Amino acid sequence: MSKTIVDKRSFYTAMLSVVVVMIVSGIVSPHISIKVLEANGLLWVSLLTLGFMSARAFSSILHAELYELLSARITGAIGLGLILLSYILYIISSPILYPAIKLLEGFSAGLFWPLMQTLLVVGVDKNWRSRWLSIYFLVGNISGYAGYQIGSLIIQFWGSESILYTGIIIGLSYLLLYIIISPSTRYPVEKRGGISFRIILRETSRIPELIPLVFLVGGVNGLLKDYLFAYAKVLTGFTEAVLRNYWSIAGYTGLILSIVFSHMLEAQGHTRTVLVISISAVLSVIILPITSNPLIVFTVITLCIIGIRTLRPILRGLASNKTSKPEMGIALINSLANISAGITPFLIALFSIII
């Protein structure tokens, strides 16, 4: 373990951040979705994801320049501070304004999370970076689902009005700790030429068979961020506290089974089998409009989580092999998936109103 960690301050800042901040997000985000659902309906819930993803995409472009200019400590503190500011604004604002506040939260996330991934990368030996990034994302998912359950306990013992206050208190406490433990290093940024629209089109033309699948995976992942949680409440009629527990169980189950399928791919080479299973799992989302059975609803959510977590590394790997540069392929997949994640919930909600 000690041989793999080359910068303890960077490594432990990244790992502690993904645990604490994802728990806080798991506490707060579902509550925001439910408040918007109850006040303004599913279309407004879809705007939460659209605003978050759009703002995150914009700020992700800026984060590298900022932590070269201001240091990791200051940039991270700005990101965390803006996340806490968005939570304060949720308290004092009407739910009709929450999609606008989500823009701020998304902008903050675009500053904070790429920085944490950078800290992890510089904190471990280069031969262990891929493995630790996989662990990092797994720990983040588990922490997020734990936040759902913690939020359920908060509602049961102190009421739903305590959710945002709890998130702010935990967030402020961690902000102070972050300022103490985080590195003050200014990391150099590799300067690259701008990527023109022509280059993007050229590289995208190399992976035409992947684009529909990328949009499917990105779109369902976007639905899981806000829309499906609210939609599950509409279907089941569960209270927020009960819904949180069901959702977290579905999440844990999906994570475990996705690891099993990933092992089938890596250890036994069953690529075609894994692709068929994963695509079928993601497509199971189409069952939701025709059922209100809680067992079926949360089975579908589990299947979607399995499919998304299994397909994402496969798609990145395929794209990195087909494009002119591996990093270009991964960047394209991420960009297309994020676009789909933002617009899919909105289009579905709009379509459901029209019909």
Side-chain angles (χ1 to χ4, degrees):
M1 177 72 171
S2 59
K3 292 181 180 179
T4 66
I5 301 174
V6 296
D7 184 340
K8 291 184 178 180
R9 187 177 285 267
S10 294
F11 174 81
Y12 288 115
T13 298
M15 293 305 295
L16 187 59
S17 293
V18 78
V19 172
V20 176
V21 181
M22 284 302 294
I23 286 175
V24 172
S25 177
I27 291 172
V28 172
S29 293
H31 184 63
I32 299 304
S33 299
I34 296 301
K35 288 196 71 174
V36 171
L37 171 69
E38 293 174 345
N40 304 107
L42 282 169
L43 179 62
W44 226 247
V45 174
S46 72
L47 293 178
L48 294 174
T49 306
L50 180 60
F52 182 90
M53 297 301 296
S54 302
R56 190 179 75 173
F58 175 72
S59 60
S60 293
I61 299 172
L62 304 177
H63 83 276
E65 297 292 342
L66 277 177
Y67 67 71
E68 182 184 37
L69 194 66
L70 301 176
S71 84
R73 178 173 298 163
I74 296 175
T75 305
I78 291 172
L80 271 175
L82 291 175
I83 290 173
L84 294 174
L85 176 60
S86 67
Y87 291 172
I88 293 170
L89 291 174
Y90 287 134
I91 291 176
I92 63 177
S93 303
S94 165
I96 200 170
L97 297 176
Y98 283 7
I101 300 172
K102 268 288 181 178
L103 288 168
L104 176 61
E105 189 180 346
F107 181 86
S108 312
L111 294 180
F112 187 75
W113 290 118
L115 174 59
M116 293 307 104
Q117 293 161 34
T118 299
L119 290 180
L120 184 70
V121 166
V122 301
V124 299
D125 182 87
K126 63 181 181 179
N127 296 319
W128 286 77
R129 286 172 180 172
S130 295
R131 187 172 302 181
W132 270 111
L133 280 170
S134 297
I135 295 171
Y136 167 91
F137 286 116
L138 179 62
V139 169
N141 282 316
I142 293 172
S143 300
Y145 294 128
Y148 275 70
Q149 291 185 297
I150 293 170
S152 178
L153 292 173
I154 292 169
I155 292 171
Q156 290 176 353
F157 287 101
W158 295 296
S160 60
E161 65 277 1
S162 301
I163 287 286
L164 283 164
Y165 291 107
T166 304
I168 291 169
I169 291 170
I170 297 173
L172 279 173
S173 301
Y174 184 67
L175 175 58
L176 295 175
L177 180 61
Y178 177 87
I179 293 171
I180 295 170
I181 67 172
S182 60
S184 58
T185 313
R186 288 184 175 90
Y187 293 107
V189 180
E190 182 181 352
K191 302 299 182 183
R192 296 175 179 169
I195 300 176
S196 67
F197 185 66
R198 189 178 71 172
I199 293 175
I200 293 174
L201 286 177
R202 185 188 69 203
E203 296 296 330
T204 302
S205 69
R206 298 174 186 267
I207 55 170
E209 71 281 5
L210 297 181
I211 293 175
L213 195 51
V214 171
F215 270 88
L216 172 65
V217 172
V220 176
N221 189 47
L223 289 171
L224 285 167
K225 292 186 180 301
D226 298 291
Y227 190 87
L228 285 184
F229 186 79
Y231 191 46
K233 178 171 175 55
V234 173
L235 292 174
T236 64
F238 287 162
T239 64
E240 182 183 340
V242 173
L243 189 63
R244 281 171 172 268
N245 285 324
Y246 273 90
W247 191 275
S248 61
I249 292 169
Y252 294 138
T253 306
L255 289 178
I256 293 169
L257 292 178
S258 68
I259 293 172
V260 173
F261 289 131
S262 296
H263 176 74
M264 288 173 59
L265 172 67
E266 295 172 2
Q268 301 175 26
H270 294 165
T271 306
R272 186 179 297 274
T273 303
V274 172
L275 276 171
V276 171
I277 293 173
S278 300
I279 294 170
S280 300
V282 174
L283 287 174
S284 69
V285 73
I286 64 177
I287 297 173
L288 288 180
I290 60 174
T291 182
S292 60
N293 184 303
L295 181 59
I296 297 176
V297 169
F298 289 101
T299 298
V300 168
I301 290 167
T302 301
L303 290 172
C304 289
I305 293 169
I306 293 169
I308 288 167
R309 281 191 54 83
T310 308
L311 284 170
R312 277 192 297 195
I314 296 175
L315 292 173
R316 287 172 180 153
L318 291 172
S320 65
N321 290 333
K322 290 176 177 290
T323 49
S324 60
K325 295 180 180 179
E327 62 270 23
M328 177 66 76
I330 293 171
L332 278 175
I333 293 297
N334 289 340
S335 298
L336 293 172
N338 286 336
I339 291 170
S340 181
I343 65 174
T344 298
F346 175 72
L347 292 176
I348 288 176
L350 191 62
F351 181 72
S352 67
I353 291 176
I354 294 173
I355 62 172

